[in-house]
Amino acid sequence: MQFETKCVQAGWEPKNGEPRVMPIYQSTTFKFDSSQHVADLFDLKAAGHFYTRLSNPTLDAVEQRIAALEGGVGAMLTSAGQAASTFAILNLAHSGDHVISCSAIYGGTVNLFGVTLEKLGISFTWLEPDATDEEIQAAIRPNTKAIFGETLANPALAILDLERWANVAHRNGLPLIVDNTFPTPYLCRPFEHGVDIVIHATTKYLDGHAMSLGGVIVDSGNFDWAASGRFPEFTTPDASYHGLVYTEAFGKAAYIVKARVQLMRDIGAQAAPMNAFLLGVGIETLPLRMERHSSNALAVAKWLANHPKVEWVRYPGLKGDKYYPLAQKYLPKGASGVVAFGVKGTRADAQKLMDSMKLAAIVVHVADSRTCVLHPASMTHRQLTDEQLVMAGISPTMIRFSVGIEHIDDILADLEQAFACI
Ligand SMILES: *Cc1c(COP(=O)(O)O)cnc(C)c1O
């Protein structure tokens, strides 16, 4: 099946007489005829749903759909994107371990890693997306467990050279994890470029309508946890499952099964069936939306680039952008819907411009069907120090413009009238 077909068909194949549309299994639990069957489920000897904290048929259908879109062996939904990032790391690193993270990533992830996971004893080294192979190599330690980055960084719009980072990671027996929220699998499938684990804030384009928080972890199945030698938790018995060994019992799906049966079981950041249902519906139109988001955003970027009150524009699909060559390689179908620009003047001018917009709403959100606008320095990234702001590629007059799927003429007209106010 082609990508567009998978978006509407994958994950739910009703049998004779069953609902055409995947139902919402709004049930915490499931009924069984024998206690032995339940015991086998608990021991992971049988597959099936028995308690929604671990799995649920509605979630399962959407997980299969997303795994098919990314080309992975399995996926797990979480309650929010933040939970997906948390589990992606905790599934392979614990107290005393070390992780390398690209610095140009979502502000919430900077806090999660740099403060909360550091408190749990996991240390992080931050590297810029343009770090050389030698710099990445030099940051790797005996206790390093993973390298993390964003395909297309929110909001810096830097593109990670996935193949280059994956090569360095693999040479050292390390998996590369990327947050693929901004491109979505329609614009970029990181597994085809050597990435091992993908996460998403499904809250953004995958849901696409700003209706439900969610996250997902997708496992490529390509990383060899046993051969790496760095991951005894995957290759030695798990005391919480009667000595089960993940790589032996689950093969290529060892990582994603472990994330579910250890972390989701113990921590419980499960997605709600209703949210999973909305996500599944949103994904049906993903290709149509991403095409429109990308073409509208390119038009906005070109318009801004010619405006006298605009200091700079960043959009990797724009010729001349620093990341244009990488966009040609990794995002050939379009560079997604987010444009960043700097207003000539001060932080106050940037705020005045935003306040003057009518169609583009000020919301703490990005990447949904309605055009919206945000000032990272005073909103999403306000907990970051000035130094962290610079490392994340954010300046005080930077505006993050999330281009929706409205008619381009209306979006440009709104920008036109707002710029006339400053
Ligand atoms: C929004 C976002 C997140 C966090 O997702 P939540 O659902 O808000 O927890 C993570 N990564 C990126 C790139 C995001 O844009």
Side-chain angles (χ1 to χ4, degrees):
M1 279 196 272
Q2 298 292 315
F3 188 92
E4 289 76 0
T5 313
K6 287 181 195 162
C7 283
V8 292
Q9 299 280 354
W12 177 247
E13 289 171 35
K15 297 186 199 73
N16 189 41
E18 286 187 350
R20 182 67 194 97
V21 175
M22 174 189 65
I24 307 171
Y25 284 83
Q26 193 66 46
S27 181
T28 57
T29 195
F30 303 83
K31 184 245 172 202
F32 293 94
D33 290 339
S34 84
S35 46
Q36 183 57 46
H37 190 169
V38 182
D40 289 346
L41 288 166
F42 265 101
D43 284 349
L44 308 179
K45 286 181 188 145
H49 308 287
F50 58 97
Y51 190 56
T52 288
R53 169 151 46 74
L54 276 163
S55 70
N56 168 291
T58 307
L59 273 62
D60 185 52
V62 180
E63 286 162 347
Q64 286 187 38
R65 178 169 294 177
I66 295 174
L69 297 181
E70 287 285 7
V73 294
M76 180 174 77
L77 294 180
T78 58
S79 55
Q82 289 299 87
S85 306
T86 306
F87 285 9
I89 299 298
L90 292 185
N91 201 31
L92 44 68
H94 52 67
S95 167
D97 288 338
H98 171 252
V99 171
I100 294 169
S101 178
C102 184
S103 57
I105 56 172
Y106 174 66
T109 315
V110 174
N111 283 332
L112 167 65
F113 290 176
V115 179
T116 300
L117 294 189
E118 285 266 359
K119 277 194 229 163
L120 295 183
I122 302 170
S123 63
F124 285 81
T125 296
W126 301 92
L127 294 177
E128 307 229 348
D130 307 330
T132 63
D133 290 6
E134 293 68 33
E135 285 167 329
I136 305 169
Q137 184 65 49
I140 296 170
R141 307 177 190 166
N143 60 343
T144 304
K145 299 291 174 172
I147 301 184
F148 183 96
E150 272 176 36
T151 321
L152 172 59
N154 173 13
L157 302 180
I159 296 179
L160 199 67
D161 191 343
L162 302 177
E163 287 175 12
R164 196 167 66 74
W165 283 68
N167 282 338
V168 182
H170 295 162
R171 273 209 303 272
N172 292 277
L174 292 171
L176 177 62
I177 307 174
V178 302
D179 181 334
N180 196 35
T181 296
F182 269 18
T184 80
Y186 178 70
L187 297 175
C188 179
R189 272 185 298 285
F191 295 157
E192 293 171 5
H193 302 288
V195 170
D196 303 289
I197 308 292
V198 157
I199 65 142
H200 287 274
T202 61
T203 312
K204 313 294 169 52
Y205 289 119
L206 284 177
D207 171 279
H209 302 79
M211 291 191 299
S212 50
L213 284 177
V216 70
I217 306 177
V218 194
D219 184 354
S220 70
N222 295 332
F223 191 80
D224 192 334
W225 304 97
S228 157
R230 289 181 186 258
F231 299 97
E233 276 194 40
F234 285 72
T235 56
T236 56
D238 178 356
S240 72
Y241 276 110
H242 314 304
L244 179 118
V245 176
Y246 290 97
T247 45
E248 287 169 11
F250 302 106
K252 280 183 167 298
Y255 176 90
I256 200 70
V257 172
K258 181 173 174 295
R260 182 185 301 279
V261 303
Q262 281 184 337
L263 292 172
M264 194 59 88
R265 177 197 63 183
D266 294 352
I267 300 175
Q270 186 61 292
M274 180 71 192
N275 286 2
F277 173 82
L278 291 171
L279 172 58
V281 175
I283 290 171
E284 293 185 13
T285 55
L286 180 71
L288 300 170
R289 290 186 287 105
M290 294 317 292
E291 262 174 42
R292 177 66 69 83
H293 279 297
S294 298
S295 64
N296 277 355
L298 181 58
V300 165
K302 286 181 176 162
W303 187 92
L304 288 168
N306 287 320
H307 200 284
K309 290 179 189 162
V310 173
E311 180 105 51
W312 53 267
V313 182
R314 163 138 293 160
Y315 182 66
L318 192 67
K319 270 204 189 83
D321 187 88
K322 182 179 173 193
Y323 290 100
Y324 184 74
L326 286 178
Q328 296 299 102
K329 176 169 183 182
Y330 292 113
L331 307 168
K333 286 199 274 191
S336 198
V338 182
V339 178
F341 62 98
V343 181
K344 268 193 192 144
T346 60
R347 182 188 270 252
D349 293 317
Q351 279 170 340
K352 175 97 190 291
L353 179 75
M354 286 178 45
D355 292 349
S356 307
M357 291 182 192
K358 291 177 179 145
L359 181 104
I362 299 175
V363 296
V364 179
H365 204 254
V366 63
D368 70 76
S369 53
R370 298 159 206 88
T371 296
C372 61
V373 64
L374 179 148
H375 185 229
S378 65
M379 297 164 75
T380 46
H381 290 66
R382 65 179 300 122
Q383 278 103 353
L384 269 58
T385 63
D386 285 354
E387 197 191 0
Q388 284 175 320
L389 281 178
V390 172
M391 275 181 68
I394 294 157
S395 70
T397 60
M398 171 179 182
I399 287 181
R400 187 183 72 183
F401 198 74
S402 175
V403 186
I405 58 174
E406 302 94 341
H407 197 287
I408 185 62
D409 292 353
D410 292 328
I411 299 169
L412 294 180
D414 191 37
L415 282 168
E416 180 97 57
Q417 66 80 24
F419 268 104
C421 301
I422 63 165

